[in-house]
Amino acid sequence: MNAPHDQAVLHVSLGALVSNWKLLASRCPKDCGATVKANAYGTGMDRAAPALAEAGCKHFFVATLAEALELRTLLPEAAINVFSGLSDDDIPSMKAAKLRPVLNSPEELQAWANAGGGPASLHIDTGMNRLGCSLDNASQLTTDDLTSAGVDRIMSHLACADTPDHALNAKQRDAFKSLAAAFPGLATSWANSGGILNGKDFIGDVARPGIGLYGGNPRPTLDSPLSPVVRLVAPLLQSRSIEKGDPVGYGSTFIAQEPMTVATIGIGYADGLHRIIDGAGHVRVDGAICPILGRISMDSVITNISAIGPQPRGTPVEILGTTTVTEMAAWAGTIDYEILTSISPRVVRKYHV
Ligand SMILES: *Cc1c(COP(=O)(O)O)cnc(C)c1O
């Protein structure tokens, strides 16, 4: 059977993904891993992770145990790190799948040690106050306390890597430097994508980039050296002509001020086209800009195609591509991460070299 022609398609360039990883890895003094949580930021972990592994990536990071177990079936040999910490009842699964927990407290460290320990990281909070053990708690621990539980790495996370001028960066850098000195002999994991671009003080031994791999801009106020990875295309479902005064869409929030040609496109908020974008955004047909009219529906969106006139059903309409993820994020009042991770499972993924 032919693939259906009435739904949106996310085209993912595995070549661009790999070249982004290589570029970030070239900026890392030691190892560069890859963060593939949330289905590799919506691109599809089942294809993204093996492509990265084939390119030489050895360290993978996910948020949850379920993600880690799925990744283990794809990559039998890789080092798989789980950010969410350690629940006592999950220790057997962690061990059976040879996963590396990121331990977030002295209690989790103790639980891991009691279960026999094994390769793991200790996450120490240096100023974000999200996850990780406090600097106070860390100061009570020695390298030996960690290595006797198999813990071979300390980790911390930057709160403001996307805004290099933020004062918290220097504060976290100094705290992390002291930690590295307090735990001699242990490796460090420090940078996310923005951290890598912010330079060597923010990188550590095993970097954990995510957003930059997938073509998002890790520092939206600066130019990015990374390449776009996704292109989102949806089919035109129907064209019609409307008159001055005619309403468009739910709530009749758009009223035509002149006769126009409008087209309904098969992508809506259930696919990840954020409803809040409303009239702020546009799509492209053959390069022509077609503004969004009125409210975005669950499965469709209505656009002004007067510039090009009526088009046949099935005409491909570009949602993301020429429009960058960063540009769409600005329309929606959000960040690149949320645009990518909102692209729902209904959208078909197609992979390209
Ligand atoms: C998500 C996440 C990353 C990846 O960050 P990016 O900004 O996407 O590069 C790295 N480390 C931790 C702890 C994370 O939660």
Side-chain angles (χ1 to χ4, degrees):
M1 195 188 87
N2 271 340
H5 293 85
D6 62 347
Q7 63 194 113
V9 176
L10 184 72
H11 296 274
V12 178
S13 167
L14 296 173
L17 170 75
V18 163
S19 72
N20 287 339
W21 181 76
K22 287 183 173 166
L23 187 146
L24 291 170
S26 75
R27 308 261 179 118
C28 295
K30 291 196 177 159
D31 282 335
C32 185
T35 300
V36 295
K37 62 191 180 187
N39 200 25
Y41 291 47
T43 64
M45 184 173 74
D46 60 335
R47 297 296 299 271
L52 290 165
E54 195 168 316
C57 181
K58 294 186 169 56
H59 305 271
F60 291 83
F61 296 85
V62 293
T64 66
L65 175 57
E67 291 175 336
L69 294 173
E70 187 189 339
L71 183 56
R72 178 54 81 215
T73 66
L74 299 165
L75 300 177
E77 305 298 335
I80 300 177
N81 302 266
V82 191
F83 289 144
S84 60
L86 195 66
S87 305
D88 289 349
D89 292 342
D90 290 337
I91 292 176
S93 311
M94 285 268 183
K95 289 189 155 258
K98 296 195 162 48
L99 304 176
R100 295 182 50 110
V102 173
L103 306 168
N104 283 322
S105 66
E107 292 74 23
E108 290 180 16
L109 173 64
Q110 191 59 53
W112 187 241
N114 291 347
S121 303
L122 180 69
H123 185 175
I124 302 164
D125 181 72
T126 50
M128 186 173 186
N129 288 306
R130 186 176 68 169
L131 282 172
C133 88
S134 67
L135 287 171
D136 261 5
N137 281 332
S139 71
Q140 323 267 313
L141 297 167
T142 63
T143 295
D144 203 43
D145 294 328
L146 272 57
T147 52
S148 61
V151 175
D152 54 8
R153 196 188 297 156
I154 57 168
M155 171 183 139
S156 195
H157 189 54
L158 290 156
C160 302
D162 61 340
T163 36
D165 293 339
H166 199 290
L168 187 51
N169 285 303
K171 192 167 170 257
Q172 287 195 272
R173 174 198 62 204
D174 295 345
F176 196 69
K177 261 192 187 155
S178 318
L179 284 173
F183 295 102
L186 290 184
T188 60
S189 180
W190 188 207
N192 60 353
S193 307
I196 296 174
L197 298 180
N198 290 343
K200 64 174 173 33
D201 282 348
F202 297 98
I203 301 182
D205 297 328
V206 186
R208 315 182 298 272
I211 192 71
L213 300 176
Y214 309 103
N217 185 349
R219 304 178 303 175
T221 58
L222 299 170
D223 285 341
S224 171
L226 302 156
S227 307
V229 168
V230 300
R231 201 167 158 262
L232 181 58
V233 177
L236 187 151
L237 300 177
Q238 196 173 28
S239 302
R240 72 180 72 240
S241 299
I242 63 172
E243 299 303 323
K244 178 175 174 15
D246 281 347
V248 170
Y250 279 124
S252 178
T253 58
F254 179 85
I255 308 284
Q257 297 304 305
E258 57 193 343
M260 50 172 65
T261 311
V262 304
T264 301
I265 318 301
I267 185 169
Y269 60 78
D271 301 289
L273 187 63
H274 291 238
R275 184 173 176 278
I276 199 170
I277 290 173
D278 236 356
H282 58 253
V283 301
R284 283 177 196 257
V285 179
D286 250 341
I289 291 182
C290 308
I292 291 173
L293 301 177
R295 294 214 172 122
I296 293 171
S297 298
M298 183 185 290
D299 318 305
S300 60
V301 56
I302 305 163
T303 64
N304 180 357
I305 60 164
S306 302
I308 49 174
Q311 301 292 312
R313 179 180 170 94
T315 298
V317 179
E318 189 189 71
I319 315 297
L320 281 173
T322 313
T323 297
T324 64
V325 174
T326 306
E327 198 177 344
M328 181 174 282
W331 295 345
T334 185
I335 53 176
D336 297 21
Y337 302 73
E338 197 181 20
I339 295 296
L340 287 173
T341 58
S342 300
I343 298 170
S344 78
R346 185 164 75 181
V347 176
V348 176
R349 270 69 174 170
K350 287 197 175 150
Y351 295 91
H352 306 270
V353 288

